[in-house]
Amino acid sequence: MAQLIDGKKISAQIKEELKEQTAQLKEAGIEGTLAVIQVGDDAASSVYVRNKKKACEYIGIHSKSYELPSETTQKELLKLIEDLNADDSVNGILVQLPVPAHIDEKTIINAISPDKDVDGFHPESVGSLTIGQPGFVSCTPAGIIELLKRSNVEMDGKNCVIVGRSNIVGKPMALLMLRENATVTVTHSHTKHLKEICRNADILIVAIGKKEFITGEYIKPGAVVIDVGIHRDENNKLSGDVKYEEAEPIASMITPVPGGVGPMTIAMLMHNCVEAMTR
Ligand code: NDP
């Protein structure tokens, strides 16, 4: 039976630590503000935005909310970002993705000052990560590293297979695992012999976006399995990219869905906000 990697508990610990840090910063006269911009009223985005604002309140930083109508033009959004970039009272800027189709996501990401890029999506942040310089790191992969470290999973010299190569999960995850001295294989939809490759993984990280795609056959006995996927069925039940009932008896450690990687993403966003305050 695999040991559970408890993202709920670990994210709560991180938020407690950040709360203490913000209290100390406040004593030194440093306050933090995160600007959260949402364009349109996508229901899932509204939930994410609400949770991010709640987390800010919990750890003791201000949040400024910009709920813009879906007809907002790209020019108007860029103007708001420009104003927030210039506003010294704002440390972090977050544009909730996806944005409506008439707005170009890349242009928006590129407009956010790298100094306030708490999502870690700006090309400068990604470039810094690539060459090992300080910068904001994408929250979900950074959260996975925290999960592994705080669960005492040795990464140095281990075979790590990442399923998925998205800009927000797979690619930064590979760079972070390299930084931890793992031997990294990144797989994607053109990969041949995926099952065999996965079965070679000491640490298997799955971010594929396909419900329960990774079955027991993909898992080496004793592997550590990290499931990034989130899928909600018609009864609101959540599941991941890994078939949990099959993986759990084979793995040595595993993240559940919900309660694994999910809670870490917001905790690491808060971590980035506190980092922005201390810069
Ligand atoms: P994307 O859809 O952007 O990327 C999916 C990746 O999986 C792509 O690189 C794709 O390959 C690869 N892929 C698709 N099919 C296969 C296949 N048959 N074999 C091998 N690789 C395949 O997804 P994201 O990275 O954004 O998200 C992945 C999952 O994680 C989703 O379920 C998402 O909801 C969840 N998620 C959860 C977060 C959290 O906080 N827990 C945060 C972010 C995402 P190719 O590049 O060739 O198309």
Side-chain angles (χ1 to χ4, degrees):
M1 223 175 96
Q3 185 189 323
L4 202 76
I5 299 181
D6 189 344
K8 243 176 155 173
K9 192 166 132 199
I10 295 173
S11 66
Q13 270 166 9
I14 292 173
K15 281 194 264 180
E16 281 311 314
E17 291 163 15
L18 293 171
K19 198 174 177 177
E20 264 174 47
Q21 276 183 45
T22 57
Q24 280 168 13
L25 287 166
K26 217 171 254 175
E27 274 174 30
I30 302 169
E31 304 244 357
T33 300
L34 170 67
V36 183
I37 306 171
Q38 183 183 358
V39 187
D41 53 6
D42 175 70
S45 291
S46 299
V47 173
Y48 289 134
V49 164
R50 212 167 34 244
N51 288 342
K52 287 168 186 176
K53 288 194 287 196
K54 252 170 50 190
C56 284
E57 198 181 325
Y58 184 78
I59 71 154
I61 62 178
H62 307 288
S63 63
K64 269 187 175 176
S65 194
Y66 298 88
E67 282 151 28
L68 309 179
S70 51
E71 316 80 71
T72 304
T73 64
Q74 177 162 309
K75 202 168 159 202
E76 286 165 338
L77 181 54
L78 287 172
K79 173 73 174 78
L80 173 60
I81 293 171
E82 195 184 310
D83 292 347
L84 293 170
N85 280 340
D87 182 344
D88 287 339
S89 72
V90 172
N91 317 85
I93 303 171
L94 182 155
V95 177
Q96 184 64 44
L97 300 176
V99 283
H102 65 277
I103 296 175
D104 178 49
E105 196 174 287
K106 271 192 205 140
T107 307
I108 298 307
I109 290 172
N110 292 1
I112 296 171
S113 161
D115 292 331
K116 301 189 180 186
D117 173 39
V118 285
D119 258 338
F121 295 163
H122 191 282
E124 198 172 307
S125 306
V126 179
S128 296
L129 174 63
T130 309
I131 57 172
Q133 285 186 3
F136 293 112
V137 178
S138 180
C139 301
T140 303
I144 292 171
I145 295 289
E146 282 302 311
L147 278 182
L148 294 169
K149 282 191 174 165
R150 291 175 188 242
S151 306
N152 299 315
V153 174
E154 178 71 51
M155 291 174 262
D156 198 313
K158 293 292 158 73
N159 278 339
C160 173
V161 174
I162 299 164
V163 190
R165 57 171 167 183
S166 69
N167 288 339
I168 62 165
V169 188
K171 282 183 199 146
M173 192 71 244
L175 292 166
L176 288 172
M177 288 307 284
L178 272 180
R179 198 153 88 177
E180 299 300 328
N181 296 321
T183 303
V184 182
T185 306
V186 183
T187 64
H188 46 78
S189 66
H190 296 247
T191 298
K192 298 206 166 56
H193 312 298
L194 182 66
K195 211 176 271 180
E196 286 70 24
I197 295 170
C198 289
R199 259 206 308 255
N200 200 27
D202 302 310
I203 302 171
L204 179 64
I205 302 176
V206 188
I208 182 175
K210 290 191 171 154
K211 187 179 168 179
E212 298 183 335
F213 182 94
I214 298 292
T215 56
E217 291 177 312
Y218 287 75
I219 296 162
K220 170 167 134 179
V224 174
V225 178
I226 305 289
D227 187 354
V228 185
I230 305 179
H231 308 275
R232 193 181 289 276
D233 73 10
E234 57 285 359
N235 303 317
N236 250 353
K237 187 175 177 286
L238 293 179
S239 53
D241 288 347
V242 175
K243 203 167 175 76
Y244 186 84
E245 321 79 80
E246 288 190 15
E248 192 269 344
I250 305 169
S252 62
M253 297 174 104
I254 188 165
T255 57
V257 178
V261 175
M264 295 302 291
T265 301
I266 288 192
M268 296 317 286
L269 173 69
M270 294 301 110
H271 170 273
N272 283 353
C273 289
V274 174
E275 196 183 307
M277 287 165 72
T278 54
R279 277 180 168 202

